[in-house]
Amino acid sequence: MSPPGAALLTRPPTAGTGKGMAAQLLLAVVSGGYAVGAALGWGSTELAKIMGDFGLSTAGLLAAVSCFHYARTIDRRERPAWLMFAFSSLMGALGNAVWGWYEVILGQEVPEPSLADFAFLCFAPPAIVGLLVLAKRPVTRAGWVCLGLDSWLIGGSLLTLSWSLALANAARTVQSGAPGSVPRAALSLAYPLLDIALVSMVLVLHFRRSANNRSAVNTAIAALALTVLSDALFTSPLLNTTYRSGEILDAGWFAGSLLLAYAPWGARRAESAQQAVRPPRAERPHSRPISGSLPALTPYLAAAVCTLGILYNVVDGRKVDRMVVFTGCTVVLALVIRQGIMLVDNIALTQELAQKENHFRSLVQGSSDVIMIAAPTGTLRYVSPAAAGVYGREAEELVGTELATLIHPDDLGRVVHEVRRFLAAPPSEEPTTRIECRFESGDGDWLNVESTVNRHQGGLILNSRDVTERVRLQAQLQHSAEHDPLTDLPNRALFTRRVRQALTGRRAGDQGTAVLFIDLDGFKAVNDTIGHQAGDELLVEAARRLQDSVRAGDTAARLGGDEFAALITGDGSRDRSAREYQVREIADRLRTTLSQPYRIGGAEVRVAASIGVAFADPGITPSDLMRNADLAMYRAKAGGKNRVELYAPQMQAEVVRKAEFAGRLRTALHEGEFTLLHQPVVSLATGEVTAVAAQARWRSAQGILFTPAEFLRVAGYSEGAAHGVAPDASRTAELGRWLLEEAVEQAAERHRAGHHAPVAVRMTAQRLLDRSVPLASLDALLTRHGLPSGALVIELADSDPRVPFDELERRLAALRRLGVLIALDGFGSGYAAISALRRLPVDMLKLDRGLVEGLAESARLYKITAGLLRIANDLGMQSVADGVDLPEQVSALRAMGCTHGQGMAFSGPLDEYRLRRALVRGTFPVPGGLAQPALAGGSSSGLMVIRRGSHDETPVPPA
């Protein structure tokens, strides 16, 4: 018994169970009390007659009412049977009531025959019909024939025995025709014959009863059997002549009636309680209508009873009665026919079984799966022929082998544990299980095998298949999902999992664990110059160097693009400084290794490595640790590249501050907190306003105007780049877009008002090369506002030397075709100023304010500035000095040949109202009065005149 089954059986009885036991106890007490009273004669003859007649009548009436009421509450298919039982009980009650009328009320003997005999004769036929209704109907003609033969085998054998013992004398009495003896003899024959028929149906129904309401049907059959037994004793010669009402024989009829009254209700309560306590039993398969109708011994027992009846006559020396011979012969004939039908049925079953066995053998032998049967000891008792193709070993060779010897030792413990767990589980809850392990093949290799396991006579049935290819494919897919396809290093997902394992495994809390983020400086230039194929080859070589440089227990990974990472596991040391020194030494070694020249396609290629290092602090998460390493790597790139940077907490604070600044800047733009000012550009010869330079200002809540540099400084930015990118390009792109659109719109309004001074807008080279700002959008902006050609000047800020000049040259040439003028801003301060002047299509030069500020104090700076202005005049370009704040600067610049100036010596940045007033006035006073330029090439006209110089006439080829 399974443990769950034992637990169910030990549950306390339910309320329904207690009521059923009380009803059964009451039934036993009442029946026992009646039997005791009958055995003691009830104390008086009068009481005995009352209890023997009206007591039996009351019990029969109770059974009739119970069966009738039950018939109204059940399925229609069984309702007629219980109605027949009710009618049968009613007839028995009526017979006993008539009997009591004569004996108790009238005080005379019951006449023979009487109405009581008629009622008693009507007891058996309804009961027989009810039993037939409850019987399970055969489904074939042969089944009906066997049902009839089974009934006759039982009835005929009982008739033979009864005729030999008692009925022969009653039959001779009927034949004699003596006065008054014929009705009594006929009744003597009728009672046993009906009882024999009823007994036959009771026995047949016992083997063919329906599964519905089994408890009620079994109780009803027991009640009818008890009644038939009492009838048989009543009709026997020993008791027939001496029977008196109220005797012990009445106790059998009384108990039978009470049992029939109890059958539909008490038995049903007991069955409900039993179902509530016990788990549902599996449904049994239906037996065949022929061979499964009666147990195999029933025909032989019937023939034995019939033989005993014949032998009784022979041994007694009397002449064998013809009735006995006829009945015996029919019983034997029925037995022969019954056995013949069984023989034919057995032959059909044998053929069907052989066909199914052949079908099963064909399925097993032709299946590609290996089917094995293992005994409870683990020995293989059967192996299908498919083992030769799957395992490379013949089935006969495997039979008798221990199953454990075929399983890989590393998998054996897991398999044994699963098998024991499966065998301990209830079969109804877990009929099968699935096990995957490695089996040894004939050539010594290990095959991945998946087996479906079922129970079989204490052992196991294993349906196994080779899944080696599937496991190999899954491993390949898993490897592809976790590794970079180009370098075969772990990808970001696997690297993140390794970091998580390092932080949560047995080394959790080891502060020596570190993550390195590595970026290859200059890799984009490799892709742009020698192609992406060469870039891929460089990445593969860099990955190989990285993999060879880390330790055996560390993890190297490629995160994407030219970004790599390394996980350096700690050694449990508590000396933080020593651990930092060791990890920094590893990082420096990696940087040196990755920065060595690469041999790609026969050419030598150089890149550098910027490395950020972050250590695992207590309680840090994998994502935070990797983020810290990433921040340190970007700090290394911003600090000059090709270096190692350790993470510091202020890096995260700086990132937060920059994020807050980006949100603050965006809010200021959307809420109109920025305004546009313009600073006049004045001719140093005449003081006339020739252009205006647009400058953005942020208006604080206190009404103070901040310049962009001041605004960035307040937000925590330095004048340098963030992450290697200028703040204009990385954080203030939206501000630059607003500045350009606002400057163009206001310039177009001034142009329509008659003020034709061009507007100058400062832009970086990165901003000009940004693909999110196509030339078509700038052309559409100029067209939308109606700004004429030459009215917009783009001041190109000194660019990063990494900016590709070829692309920048194409972009500037396209702008000039749109009528946009180009000024080289900050000339003389950057490394690429001369290269930009030589290659880029520039219309004017704008001196850096650093050259102008020290002009009066430094003779060296004076000579440098004079040389730069001479170059501008020789190329036919206009020159604009930025930061002209002092009168002596104006005089010096004008003497050097500078044509225009911008600064506080003339005017600061003006709002739109003051700007228009200045444009109406047209000129500013020039310190020192009018003067002619010392060098030729200057312009003394009012407006800024742009002369296309040698760039248009004699293009200079790129270096």
Side-chain angles (χ1 to χ4, degrees):
M1 182 180 299
S2 63
L8 288 173
L9 290 179
T10 56
R11 294 180 181 177
T14 61
T17 305
K19 293 180 180 179
M21 294 179 62
Q24 294 174 5
L25 181 61
L26 178 62
L27 178 64
V29 169
V30 173
S31 300
Y34 190 95
V36 171
L40 298 178
W42 298 104
S44 67
T45 304
E46 196 67 23
L47 182 59
K49 290 181 179 181
I50 294 174
M51 295 303 297
D53 294 336
F54 292 110
L56 294 181
S57 179
T58 303
L61 185 61
L62 180 62
V65 173
S66 176
C67 292
F68 178 77
H69 184 64
Y70 179 65
R72 298 178 58 187
T73 62
I74 60 174
D75 194 331
R76 293 181 178 180
R77 291 175 297 178
E78 298 181 6
R79 185 174 301 170
W82 291 97
L83 290 177
M84 289 294 100
F85 292 156
F87 182 74
S88 179
S89 300
L90 183 61
M91 290 295 100
L94 179 60
N96 284 297
V98 172
W99 199 290
W101 174 264
Y102 282 104
E103 285 191 337
V104 177
I105 303 301
L106 300 179
Q108 62 184 22
E109 292 291 333
V110 181
E112 294 185 3
S114 66
L115 183 60
D117 295 320
F118 173 78
F120 290 144
L121 290 177
C122 291
F123 173 82
I128 294 173
V129 174
L131 292 174
L132 287 174
V133 172
L134 292 177
K136 187 166 56 178
R137 298 180 181 180
V139 296
T140 62
R141 293 182 179 179
W144 285 105
V145 173
C146 287
L147 178 61
L149 292 174
D150 293 338
S151 301
W152 176 244
L153 283 171
I154 297 174
S157 59
L158 293 178
L159 179 60
T160 303
L161 184 61
S162 300
W163 192 272
S164 301
L165 293 175
L167 299 182
N169 294 328
R172 284 193 289 269
T173 303
V174 173
Q175 292 176 359
S176 64
S181 61
V182 175
R184 185 176 182 83
L187 289 176
S188 300
L189 288 174
Y191 282 125
L193 291 177
L194 290 175
D195 288 339
I196 289 173
L198 186 57
V199 168
S200 301
M201 293 311 304
V202 166
L203 293 176
V204 170
L205 180 61
H206 176 70
F207 300 113
R208 285 184 172 271
R209 62 186 181 277
S210 175
N212 298 330
N213 298 330
R214 186 180 296 272
S215 297
V217 173
N218 288 341
T219 307
I221 291 175
L224 294 176
L226 184 59
T227 302
V228 170
L229 178 61
S230 300
D231 287 346
L233 293 175
F234 173 75
T235 56
S236 65
L238 297 176
L239 298 179
N240 190 15
T241 57
T242 61
Y243 170 77
R244 294 293 182 270
S245 295
E247 292 185 355
I248 190 63
L249 185 59
D250 291 345
W253 286 314
F254 184 81
S257 297
L258 290 184
L259 193 59
L260 185 59
Y262 169 78
W265 306 107
R268 188 168 67 174
R269 284 195 299 269
E271 185 177 26
S272 301
Q274 186 178 12
Q275 290 178 353
V277 174
R278 296 181 181 177
R281 303 174 63 180
E283 185 178 356
R284 296 183 180 180
H286 296 286
S287 59
R288 290 181 57 87
I290 299 177
S291 60
S293 60
L294 289 174
L297 294 178
T298 302
Y300 302 102
L301 292 176
V305 171
C306 183
T307 303
L308 289 176
I310 298 175
L311 289 177
Y312 175 79
N313 287 272
V314 174
V315 173
D316 196 25
R318 295 179 296 176
K319 180 180 179 181
V320 179
D321 193 283
R322 286 180 294 179
M323 184 63 183
V324 174
V325 173
F326 175 78
T327 305
C329 292
T330 55
V331 169
V332 173
L333 181 61
L335 178 61
V336 172
I337 297 175
R338 181 70 174 80
Q339 292 301 104
I341 294 176
M342 291 184 61
L343 179 61
V344 173
D345 188 54
N346 288 337
I347 294 174
L349 283 175
T350 303
Q351 293 176 351
E352 182 179 354
L353 181 61
Q355 183 179 3
K356 290 183 178 180
E357 184 178 356
N358 292 333
H359 180 65
F360 173 74
R361 184 179 291 109
S362 300
L363 290 176
V364 171
Q365 294 180 354
S367 174
S368 59
D369 295 348
V370 181
I371 299 176
M372 299 182 294
I373 299 178
T377 58
T379 304
L380 295 178
R381 297 189 303 185
Y382 173 80
V383 179
S384 66
V390 176
Y391 300 149
R393 303 175 67 175
E394 297 296 332
E396 293 78 6
E397 178 186 351
L398 293 175
V399 174
T401 306
E402 292 289 337
L403 182 61
T405 60
L406 303 176
I407 302 176
H408 195 282
D410 295 342
D411 300 338
L412 183 58
R414 174 173 53 84
V415 172
V416 171
H417 175 75
E418 175 62 20
V419 168
R420 289 177 177 175
R421 185 202 62 78
F422 169 66
L423 293 178
S428 58
E429 297 180 3
E430 191 173 3
T432 63
T433 188
R434 191 178 300 273
I435 296 176
E436 187 169 338
C437 60
R438 285 169 288 179
F439 267 43
E440 186 178 9
S441 65
D443 54 4
D445 295 335
W446 293 101
L447 303 176
N448 293 94
V449 176
E450 182 185 64
S451 302
T452 302
V453 184
N454 295 270
R455 299 173 180 84
H456 177 69
Q457 298 179 359
L460 300 173
I461 294 181
L462 296 94
N463 190 354
S464 307
R465 61 200 63 85
D466 183 9
V467 294
T468 304
E469 290 299 325
R470 188 194 72 186
V471 172
R472 184 179 295 113
L473 178 60
Q474 289 177 345
Q476 293 176 354
L477 293 176
Q478 183 71 16
H479 182 84
S480 300
E482 295 179 342
H483 289 76
D484 176 60
L486 179 63
T487 63
D488 203 38
L489 289 179
N491 58 14
R492 183 181 295 271
L494 181 56
F495 183 77
T496 304
R497 187 160 66 250
R498 295 276 178 85
V499 173
R500 183 178 297 107
Q501 292 172 355
L503 297 181
T504 59
R506 59 185 180 88
R507 293 184 179 272
D510 188 355
Q511 301 182 18
T513 299
V515 170
L516 279 62
F517 266 43
I518 307 165
D519 186 83
L520 299 181
D521 304 321
F523 175 74
K524 185 178 184 301
V526 175
N527 276 340
D528 295 339
T529 54
I530 60 178
H532 290 275
Q533 180 64 32
D536 291 344
E537 294 179 12
L538 189 148
L539 290 177
V540 172
E541 177 61 22
R544 185 190 63 79
R545 295 184 184 183
L546 179 61
Q547 185 68 43
D548 294 342
S549 300
V550 298
R551 302 174 304 176
D554 300 334
T555 300
R558 183 193 177 200
L559 305 182
D562 60 342
E563 291 188 358
F564 295 85
L567 172 63
I568 309 300
T569 56
D571 55 4
S573 175
R574 297 184 178 274
D575 190 348
R576 172 107 182 178
S577 59
R579 183 58 179 161
E580 288 185 0
Y581 175 80
Q582 181 183 6
V583 172
R584 190 179 186 93
E585 184 180 9
I586 295 174
D588 283 330
R589 185 174 69 250
L590 290 177
R591 182 189 59 79
T592 303
T593 302
L594 294 175
S595 300
Q596 295 295 325
Y598 294 82
R599 198 73 182 174
I600 306 297
E604 188 177 90
V605 179
R606 289 181 178 271
V607 294
S610 296
I611 301 178
V613 181
F615 288 91
D617 295 328
I620 194 170
T621 63
S623 58
D624 290 343
L625 180 59
M626 295 174 64
R627 180 206 60 199
N628 294 345
D630 193 27
L631 292 175
M633 185 266 290
Y634 275 111
R635 175 58 65 89
K637 291 177 70 68
K641 303 182 180 180
N642 193 21
R643 58 197 301 266
V644 176
E645 189 76 29
L646 298 182
Y647 170 78
Q650 57 266 27
M651 295 181 184
Q652 177 63 20
E654 182 178 349
V655 171
V656 173
R657 186 169 60 250
K658 291 175 181 178
E660 292 176 351
F661 162 70
R664 190 176 176 187
L665 176 62
R666 189 175 299 108
T667 302
L669 283 171
H670 291 169
E671 295 183 358
E673 297 180 9
F674 276 90
T675 186
L676 193 62
L677 302 181
H678 294 84
Q679 189 171 23
V681 178
V682 179
S683 172
L684 297 182
T686 64
E688 183 178 0
V689 179
T690 59
V692 293
Q695 299 177 6
R697 293 292 186 270
W698 174 62
R699 189 184 304 275
S700 68
Q702 293 78 20
I704 303 175
L705 292 178
F706 291 98
T707 66
E710 292 171 336
F711 181 49
L712 295 176
R713 186 163 54 253
V714 170
Y717 280 86
S718 64
E719 292 294 334
H723 294 339
V725 183
D728 300 299
S730 62
R731 298 293 181 185
T732 60
E734 192 172 356
L735 176 61
R737 188 181 305 111
W738 174 86
L739 174 62
L740 179 61
E741 293 179 356
E742 193 73 12
V744 169
E745 181 180 0
Q746 293 186 15
E749 292 178 358
R750 290 193 298 270
H751 184 80
R752 287 190 291 271
H755 307 295
H756 302 295
V759 61
V761 178
R762 188 177 186 272
M763 297 182 68
T764 63
Q766 290 87 348
R767 173 69 178 160
L768 282 173
L769 295 177
D770 189 359
R771 298 187 182 275
S772 64
V773 187
L775 292 176
S777 64
L778 182 58
D779 187 16
L781 178 64
L782 297 175
T783 304
R784 183 170 68 251
H785 294 289
L787 192 65
S789 177
L792 176 63
V793 180
I794 296 296
E795 296 179 350
L796 178 64
D798 190 18
S799 60
D800 194 306
R802 296 172 298 179
V803 174
F805 273 92
D806 294 338
E807 186 176 354
L808 183 59
E809 182 180 2
R810 290 192 295 269
R811 179 59 67 94
L812 293 179
L815 287 175
R816 295 186 70 190
R817 287 193 295 270
L818 296 177
V820 178
L821 304 179
I822 306 299
L824 187 60
D825 188 22
F827 185 69
S829 62
Y831 294 103
I834 302 300
S835 298
L837 183 62
R838 180 170 59 89
R839 298 187 57 181
L840 300 179
V842 179
D843 298 308
M844 65 187 70
L845 297 179
K846 191 171 185 179
L847 293 179
D848 185 77
R849 80 169 40 243
L851 297 176
V852 178
E853 287 176 352
L855 191 60
E857 294 82 7
S858 174
R860 183 182 181 89
L861 191 59
Y862 185 95
K863 293 180 180 180
I864 293 174
T865 305
L868 294 176
L869 289 172
R870 186 179 296 109
I871 293 174
N873 283 302
D874 290 343
L875 294 176
M877 297 181 183
Q878 298 288 341
S879 56
V880 179
D882 188 15
V884 183
D885 299 331
L886 303 175
E888 55 268 24
Q889 294 173 347
V890 175
S891 301
L893 289 170
R894 188 171 59 183
M896 293 179 192
C898 183
T899 59
H900 296 81
Q902 171 186 341
M904 297 303 295
F906 305 103
S907 173
L910 305 175
D911 57 20
E912 187 66 19
Y913 174 74
R914 291 183 175 86
L915 175 62
R916 292 204 179 193
R917 289 183 58 185
L919 291 176
V920 170
R921 185 172 64 247
T923 60
F924 285 94
V926 179
L930 299 177
Q932 296 295 326
L935 299 175
S939 175
S940 60
S941 61
L943 292 177
M944 184 182 293
V945 179
I946 305 301
R947 296 193 296 257
R948 308 287 182 178
S950 60
H951 282 276
D952 290 337
E953 299 171 0
T954 309
V956 179

